[in-house]
Amino acid sequence: MLSILRKSRLKDKELRVLMLGLDNAGKTTIVKCIMKEDTSTVSPTLGFIIKTIDYNGYKLNIWDVGGQKTLRSYWRNYFEKTDALIWVVDATDRFRVSDCAEELKGLLGEEKLLGASLLVFANKTDVPGCMTPDEIREGLQLDDIKSHRWHILPCSAMTGENLVEGMDWVVKDAQQRLFLY
Ligand SMILES: Nc1nc2c(ncn2[C@@H]2O[C@H](COP(=O)(O)OP(=O)(O)O)[C@@H](O)[C@H]2O)c(=O)[nH]1
Ligand SMILES: [Mg+2]
C-alpha cells in the first residue's frame, strides 16, 4: 500500500524531503542558497519552514525543521511520507560529532523513516581545517547503516558547492526506487 502511494506521488513528480541536523549546522542557509535567496540574514529556526524547489521537473517540498535540543522531540511530527532525509552536519563542529551521531542513529531507527534515502551533507567545507567527509563518515558510523540507502557529500551553503549535486542524488535515488517497486 505504501509503495503504491509512493508511486503515485512520484508520478506527480513530487518528493517530500526532510532536512534535519543539529542546530547551527546550516540547514536554513542551504535551503536559502538553493532558492537563491539572501544567505546573510539567517536566524535560528524555531518551528519549521517549507520551501518548494523545482528541480529537473520535480517538485521538492523541503521541510526545514529547527534542530535545537529542545525542539528535537518534535522532529517525529514531520516523518510521515518522507522520501528523503537530508542530514546536515557542521563539518567545523568536532565537539558535537557524537551528539550528531546519536541523533542520526535515533532517526534511522524510526519506522516511519524506513523508506527514505539518506543524504548526508558535510556542510561548511569552505572553512579551513574542517572535518573531511571521511572523518564524518567515520564519526557518524555511516558504513554500519544497513536500513537506508545513503550518500555523503561535502558542501558549502556559502559557496553553493555540491548543493545541486545533492538534490540530484535525492531525485535520482527516488527515481531508482520507483523502478524497483
Ligand atoms: N562558513 C560557513 N558558514 C555557514 C555555512 N552554512 C551556514 N553557515 C552559518 O552557520 C550558522 C547557522 O546557519 P543556519 O542555516 O541558521 O543553521 P541551522 O540551524 O541548521 O538552520 C549561520 O551563521 C550561517 O551563516 C557554510 O556553508 N559555511
Ligand atoms: Mg534553521
Side-chain angles (χ1 to χ4, degrees):
M1 182 62 195
L2 196 63
S3 63
I4 294 171
L5 279 176
R6 278 234 161 82
K7 218 171 188 167
S8 78
R9 264 179 334 122
L10 269 176
K11 228 190 249 159
D12 296 339
K13 297 200 152 189
E14 225 178 281
L15 295 175
R16 178 163 163 147
V17 180
L18 184 58
M19 179 95 66
L20 289 177
L22 303 187
D23 49 296
N24 205 49
K27 301 176 292 294
T28 304
T29 315
I30 287 176
V31 173
K32 282 195 156 196
C33 186
I34 294 173
M35 302 289 292
K36 297 193 170 62
E37 289 173 14
D38 179 17
T39 53
S40 61
T41 55
V42 185
S43 46
T45 313
L46 294 177
F48 66 90
I49 303 166
I50 314 170
K51 290 275 165 102
T52 301
I53 295 174
D54 286 306
Y55 182 78
N56 270 357
Y58 282 84
K59 235 171 95 175
L60 304 181
N61 296 315
I62 302 198
W63 292 65
D64 167 20
V65 184
Q68 287 96 320
K69 217 174 180 112
T70 48
L71 298 175
R72 291 178 206 163
S73 56
Y74 296 103
W75 282 357
R76 63 171 55 100
N77 299 330
Y78 303 94
F79 292 167
E80 208 86 48
K81 300 194 189 81
T82 294
D83 296 299
L85 172 66
I86 299 183
W87 184 252
V88 184
V89 182
D90 179 346
T92 68
D93 190 355
R94 293 172 190 271
F95 294 107
R96 290 203 295 173
V97 173
S98 61
D99 193 7
C100 185
E102 196 102 327
E103 294 289 353
L104 177 61
K105 204 170 271 176
L107 283 178
L108 297 182
E110 292 282 350
E111 200 177 332
K112 283 182 177 164
L113 287 177
L114 277 179
S117 38
L118 169 70
L119 173 67
V120 178
F121 263 150
N123 191 36
K124 308 197 187 181
T125 47
D126 55 288
V127 180
C130 71
M131 292 182 282
T132 65
D134 273 346
E135 280 177 89
I136 289 172
R137 179 179 177 156
E138 207 163 290
L140 300 188
Q141 296 165 331
L142 296 181
D143 291 306
D144 291 346
I145 297 175
K146 303 280 179 272
S147 49
H148 297 70
R149 294 149 69 98
W150 62 272
H151 187 57
I152 184 168
L153 276 176
C155 77
S156 166
M158 288 294 141
T159 66
E161 184 207 353
N162 272 343
L163 298 186
V164 169
E165 287 78 359
M167 294 305 123
D168 213 47
W169 184 82
V170 164
V171 168
K172 283 212 175 101
D173 189 76
Q175 277 173 335
Q176 265 175 19
R177 271 184 292 146
L178 175 66
F179 294 120
L180 283 177
Y181 284 141

